[in-house]
């Protein structure tokens, strides 16, 4: 699994848990829909820390909370 795939997995799971759409997450995060679409489609392979921070804030969590989940901490990433 690649880094970008694991981030997409995490964002989808969090949106589902919070009952929000990916479109709503873009709005809550203060980013353009196209930026988030590029992440979700895997076009953005390595999102910047600033982008991840915006997403975390949109999800009402810290960046540490966003990135602290078993799949991220236990997965060996494929080369991208």
């Amino acid at each position: 699994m690649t880094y970008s795939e694991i981030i997409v997995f995490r964002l989808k799971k969090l949106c589902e848990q919070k009952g929000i759409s990916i479109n709503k997450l873009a709005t809550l995060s203060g980013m353009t829909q196209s930026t988030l679409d590029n992440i979700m489609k895997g076009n953005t392979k390595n999102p910047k820390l600033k982008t991840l921070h915006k997403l975390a804030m949109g999800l009402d969590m810290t960046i540490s909370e966003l990135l602290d989940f078993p799949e991220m901490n236990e997965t060996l990433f494929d080369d991208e």
Side-chain angles (χ1 to χ4, degrees), residues 12-49:
K12 286 180 180 178
K13 191 171 184 177
L14 287 168
C15 284
E16 182 181 304
Q17 289 172 354
K18 294 182 177 282
I20 61 173
S21 68
I22 296 299
N23 291 343
K24 181 69 174 177
L25 176 57
T27 301
L28 293 171
S29 301
M31 65 176 51
T32 64
Q33 184 63 47
S34 63
T35 298
L36 190 50
D37 282 345
N38 281 327
I39 293 169
M40 301 308 289
K41 291 177 182 176
N43 296 333
T44 300
K45 300 292 184 193
N46 193 13
K48 293 180 180 179
L49 182 60

Side-chain angles (χ1 to χ4, degrees), residues 10 18 27 37 43 56 61 71 76 80:
R10 176 68 165 163
K18 294 182 177 282
T27 301
D37 282 345
N43 296 333
M61 58 179 35
E71 293 83 1
L76 293 175
E80 297 187 0

